[in-house]
Amino acid sequence: MRVSSLLLYAVVALILAWLVIPIVIIVPMSFSSARFLTFPPPSWSLRWYEAYLNSAAWMQATRVSLIIAVSSAVLATIFGTAAAYALNMTSSKLVRSLQLLLLLPLVVPIVITAVGVFLVYAQIGLLASMTGLILANTMLGLPYVITSVLVGLRKFDHTQEMVSRSLGMNRLRTFFIVTLPQIRPSVISGLLFAFISAMDETVVSLFISGGEYQTLTKRMFTALRDEIDPTIAAISSLLTAVSFIMLMLVAINARGSKRRTEKAG
């Protein structure tokens, strides 16, 4: 048993190292003073962060990505929460089978999704538009919200809704006053995951973004194809930091929810 445990720890350590080493390498390179990507850096400098912050093109792409991420996360949270509530409350097998359809963006290879979105947008004129990018990322964020909110709803005691409605509240008011406050941690977690998904999304953006509505990830991909400099490492480090902060917020939110549940119990 001890040998098996050591072997398991060794395999897990190798997997973690495989995932973490690229980040460990990229972050120091973003502080390099060299003109090209070099590791280890010959000396330390913030010049590439300054180059990113002082570039109008990079800032425009960042603004576009932030607008898309915030807008799509909010829309995905609204529609995903409504869908999760309907799926949880219904007893119809047909409606419940729609859960598989709503979760398809997590199952279908992203390249196939990107090609499909491109073909549809080409027909209706949404290519290289803010509306098209927001709608596409909303679709990609829905599964995260639905999955997260369903977990919260299945822990919720729905007899509280019945009591509220028996006292005269309609279903909508009952949801906002009774249900939503108790599943709020799950809703927030879904919102944060949808935001991360939209900020990091690359493949669909390569197909449908362009012009003044070019996302940060697409511009990074284009820059890597044309010329590699440490500005890419600086932006990658910032995106990694944002994703890490969001995941920490999810963990803090989940821990706070667990403590409130234990106190209530």
Side-chain angles (χ1 to χ4, degrees), residues 137-158:
N137 282 281
T138 299
M139 175 193 66
L140 296 173
L142 273 175
Y144 298 102
V145 179
I146 291 172
T147 303
S148 178
V149 175
L150 275 175
V151 172
L153 285 170
R154 285 167 182 167
K155 295 179 180 179
F156 172 66
D157 184 4
H158 289 280

Side-chain angles (χ1 to χ4, degrees), residues 30-201:
S30 70
F31 293 98
S32 174
S33 62
R35 177 67 182 82
F36 301 100
L37 290 172
T38 56
F39 186 84
S43 59
W44 303 102
S45 173
L46 293 174
R47 62 179 294 193
W48 303 114
Y49 288 92
E50 293 176 1
Y52 164 64
L53 295 173
N54 293 329
S55 170
W58 283 118
M59 287 295 100
Q60 170 64 14
T62 302
R63 282 192 293 270
V64 169
S65 288
L66 286 173
I67 292 171
I68 292 169
V70 172
S71 301
S72 61
V74 171
L75 289 174
T77 301
I78 294 171
F79 293 121
T81 301
Y85 183 80
L87 289 169
N88 188 68
M89 295 299 294
T90 187
S91 57
S92 170
K93 292 183 178 179
L94 177 62
V95 176
R96 294 183 72 87
S97 65
L98 290 176
Q99 182 176 350
L100 297 176
L101 181 64
L102 292 170
L103 297 180
L104 276 180
L106 287 179
V107 179
V108 176
I110 190 64
V111 174
I112 296 176
T113 301
V115 172
V117 172
F118 172 80
L119 293 176
V120 172
Y121 280 12
Q123 297 294 321
I124 61 178
L126 283 178
L127 289 176
S129 68
M130 183 68 77
T131 302
L133 287 164
I134 291 173
L135 290 176
N137 282 281
T138 299
M139 175 193 66
L140 296 173
L142 273 175
Y144 298 102
V145 179
I146 291 172
T147 303
S148 178
V149 175
L150 275 175
V151 172
L153 285 170
R154 285 167 182 167
K155 295 179 180 179
F156 172 66
D157 184 4
H158 289 280
T159 57
Q160 297 179 48
E161 283 192 347
M162 297 174 60
V163 172
S164 174
R165 293 174 63 190
S166 69
L167 294 174
M169 284 190 183
N170 58 36
R171 184 182 290 274
L172 183 62
R173 191 178 178 191
T174 295
F175 175 79
F176 281 105
I177 293 179
V178 177
T179 308
L180 185 59
Q182 298 190 57
I183 65 170
R184 182 173 54 194
S186 298
V187 174
I188 294 174
S189 295
L191 172 70
L192 294 174
F193 278 119
F195 180 86
I196 294 171
S197 171
M199 279 296 296
D200 291 341
E201 205 292 311

